Structures are given as C-alpha cells and as structure tokens.
Amino acid sequence: PVQNGVGIKNGSSITAFGVQAALDADPSHGVVKGDLMNGFNEAERQIMLSETKQEDTLSNTVVFMQALLEPSGYEVDEGLTAIVDDNYAIGPPRELFLANKQFAIELKEVGLTSQPTKAECYIDEAYCNDEWHQLRGDIPEGTLEVNGCTVRGTVVCNIPIGTPEYISAYLQHKLEKITKVNNNIATLLDPGRWTHPDIPSRRMLWLLILMCLQFKAQTCMGVNIDTAWSDFAKSWLALPIRFKGMGIRDAADRRFSQFIGRAVQSIIPLLDRRDDNNNILQGRLHLPSIANLFGEESFHHPITNPWEHMLTNINHT
C-alpha cells in the first residue's frame, strides 16, 4: 500500500480526498476498509530503530522510511492506500476483493494479520447488487441505524463517505461527542485549578479558553454563543485580537475556506506531476479514474488552469 501516515504532509487528508475522489470518479468502484491486528503496537519504536540501524542497507532510517513511502504506478484502476495500520482498498468489486485476499496473504508472510472486527466495505447504492454481496462474503458493510432505517457508508480518516443519510447521521453522532467533550472542558476551565503567580485569574481563564477552545466553535466559558450573546457581542468576539476583538470564529464562518484550502493541498498530490525542474513527482493515488476526473496533466508545472478539466467535464446531475 501507499503509506500516507508517516513522513507525508497532509497524509490523512490526502487519503480521505483520494478515496472520495476515486469513488466520485467511478461510482461502480467499491472500497474496503481494513485494520491490522495490533499493527500500531507490534513493537516498541526504540527497538525498531535499533534493529534498523544495525542493518547496513537500512542504517539511514530516513532513506529506509522514504523507500517504503514511494508509491508505485497503478496500471489498473485500483489502489491501496494506508494511514499507519489503517488501510483502504479501492477498485472494481471483483478485482477489489481478490486484491484484498492477496493483501491478507502478503501480510501473513511478514507476521501480520488483518483485524476482521474493524473491516467494512461500501459501494454506491446503484451498484449494491447480488454480485456485490456475493463478492464481499463475510466482510460487513458500513451501516448506521437512523429512525429504524439502515443507511450505508464508511469512514476514511474520520471523514464519512456514503449516502447523504449516512454522512448526516455520522456527523450528528460526532457533534454529540464533541458537545459532551466541550461540556467537560467547561467544567474544568477553572483558573483556580491552574494557577500561576504572575498571571491574574481572569487572564488565566482567557488563556485557557484561547488555547483549549480556539477550534471548538459555539462554546465560550461554557456558554452557547448563539443564544447567550447579542449580535454586537458576537461580532466583537470574532474580530482579530489586533483589532481589539477576541479572535473566536464559528466553524460555519471557516468551513468553506478550510475545505477549499484542504482540497487544494490534498488533491494535487494524488496525481503524478512535473515540477519546475522537469522532475516527475509520483502521485499518492494516481488511478486512471482520478486522472480522468482531474485531468492527466492538470498539475504539471507551470500550473495555469488546474481545475479547468474537472469543471469543464463535471457531471452536474
């Protein structure tokens, strides 16, 4: 698999966007999510580094790691990407499940096994037919229960993909967990518990809020901003500190810029691209379907119209 979990900037985001892009590019493709049995805690890091340095060919651990991280070219429209021991295989159903079985065999050869309890699969509703169920065998589908109905999807690096109902239900469950955590934080934000002789209590409270809650929207000192603050006060809270504000912004104010910024940082590395020195940088998931979606040479240097191919050929239905 292409390992995006070590030494790769934005690795989790690249993986999530890659899987979603592959399924968007060809809805007839499915995804199988897997996990390794105790893969992350298989050995202590110190022991691994010590053993690695004793091998002449692996003495430079940076070179060793980079050798593992280099993606190979995908000759067919299927791929396998990973974040440490979490792995995601994408491709046409028949080839997908054959590759998944072969991956399990290769894992066994190096002393690792998959963890069946964490495996699940997903394919678009239009292609979830008898053949799909026959091919997946005992690999369960990712599902959630919503108002007595079963909705289908899966999660890639904590990002839900699947039917709109599945995504909405997953995000609602996530919101409930975040709200619970925020409420716990509110009870702990007591400057009396975290004293400093040179910092007054009110300033300490503000520092705790600023450090702990800057990315946790809607909550400030245990108070819901939407209901407990006037429009003027909320506008003042959102101003940057340099403008006498408090630098607190709601997630709704950041969602579009954050998504576009993350998409640009994560989609471009998926494809092979030529840099300004005419070197070809291998993409992290250069599948034919993804290349067809974004354009084979859209991200070659100099980048002039990177999204023209996608926007011109996108299916607006």
Side-chain angles (χ1 to χ4, degrees):
V2 178
Q3 178 57 263
N4 290 329
V6 183
I8 299 297
K9 185 178 180 180
N10 302 319
S12 295
S13 183
I14 290 172
T15 301
F17 271 99
V19 173
Q20 183 67 75
L23 298 182
D24 286 345
D26 192 336
S28 68
H29 287 186
V31 58
V32 174
K33 181 172 73 171
D35 185 61
L36 302 188
M37 186 79 73
N38 296 321
F40 190 72
N41 299 314
E42 194 69 24
E44 294 184 6
R45 296 181 186 179
Q46 185 176 356
I47 296 175
M48 294 175 64
L49 290 174
S50 176
E51 292 295 324
T52 301
K53 290 179 179 179
Q54 291 179 15
E55 295 290 333
D56 292 337
T57 57
L58 303 179
S59 58
N60 188 330
T61 55
V62 175
V63 174
F64 169 63
M65 286 199 310
Q66 291 302 319
L68 290 179
L69 299 175
E70 285 304 312
S72 58
Y74 292 104
E75 297 180 0
V76 294
D77 205 12
E78 56 181 312
L80 180 60
T81 183
I83 293 292
V84 191
D85 60 341
D86 296 330
N87 51 84
Y88 308 90
I90 315 106
R94 188 169 297 278
E95 290 81 359
L96 173 65
F97 289 106
L98 287 175
N100 190 62
K101 291 178 180 179
Q102 181 60 35
F103 183 50
I105 294 172
E106 294 177 4
L107 285 174
K108 191 171 294 186
E109 291 176 356
V110 294
L112 295 172
T113 57
S114 298
Q115 190 163 198
T117 57
K118 290 190 176 182
E120 63 182 32
C121 59
Y122 169 75
I123 196 170
D124 186 88
E125 293 282 347
Y127 300 92
C128 185
N129 49 33
D130 291 340
E131 181 186 16
W132 167 260
H133 292 301
Q134 183 180 3
L135 289 170
R136 70 180 178 86
D138 57 358
I139 299 177
E141 291 189 293
T143 60
L144 290 174
E145 293 296 323
V146 180
N147 298 325
C149 299
T150 300
V151 293
R152 300 171 54 258
T154 189
V155 179
V156 180
C157 300
N158 290 324
I159 304 297
I161 61 175
T163 64
E165 295 80 9
Y166 179 93
I167 294 172
S168 178
Y170 178 86
L171 292 178
Q172 180 62 38
H173 176 67
K174 198 76 172 178
L175 174 62
E176 292 170 358
K177 291 179 64 176
I178 292 174
T179 301
K180 183 178 179 180
V181 170
N182 281 350
N183 290 335
N184 289 336
I185 291 174
T187 62
L188 294 173
L189 281 181
D190 180 1
R193 296 184 56 167
W194 319 100
T195 59
H196 190 284
D198 298 326
I199 301 179
S201 296
R202 288 187 177 181
R203 186 181 175 194
M204 174 59 76
L205 176 59
W206 172 240
L207 289 174
L208 289 170
I209 293 171
L210 191 64
M211 294 298 104
C212 297
L213 297 179
Q214 56 177 322
F215 298 119
K216 295 183 179 295
Q218 306 286 352
T219 305
C220 179
M221 294 178 287
V223 178
N224 187 295
I225 294 176
D226 280 341
T227 58
W229 297 72
S230 67
D231 291 340
F232 174 81
K234 286 187 285 186
S235 299
W236 173 67
L237 286 172
L239 284 175
I241 294 176
R242 66 179 182 277
F243 293 144
K244 311 299 183 182
M246 301 178 74
I248 296 179
R249 291 180 296 160
D250 191 277
D253 298 327
R254 305 190 304 264
R255 65 190 189 279
F256 296 124
S257 60
Q258 287 182 337
F259 176 80
I260 294 299
R262 186 60 66 187
V264 170
Q265 293 176 345
S266 305
I267 291 174
I268 292 178
L270 293 174
L271 295 179
D272 294 349
R273 59 204 185 281
R274 185 176 58 244
D275 65 12
D276 54 355
N277 293 316
N278 213 35
N279 299 313
I280 296 297
L281 307 178
Q282 284 189 296
R284 307 308 298 176
L285 197 63
H286 190 104
L287 302 181
S289 57
I290 293 181
N292 184 58
L293 175 65
F294 295 110
E296 187 79 38
E297 300 183 357
S298 294
F299 306 132
H300 283 2
H301 183 85
I303 300 177
T304 54
N305 299 298
W307 312 109
E308 182 178 6
H309 179 91
M310 180 188 70
L311 294 175
T312 302
N313 297 279
I314 193 170
N315 183 356
H316 294 285
T317 59

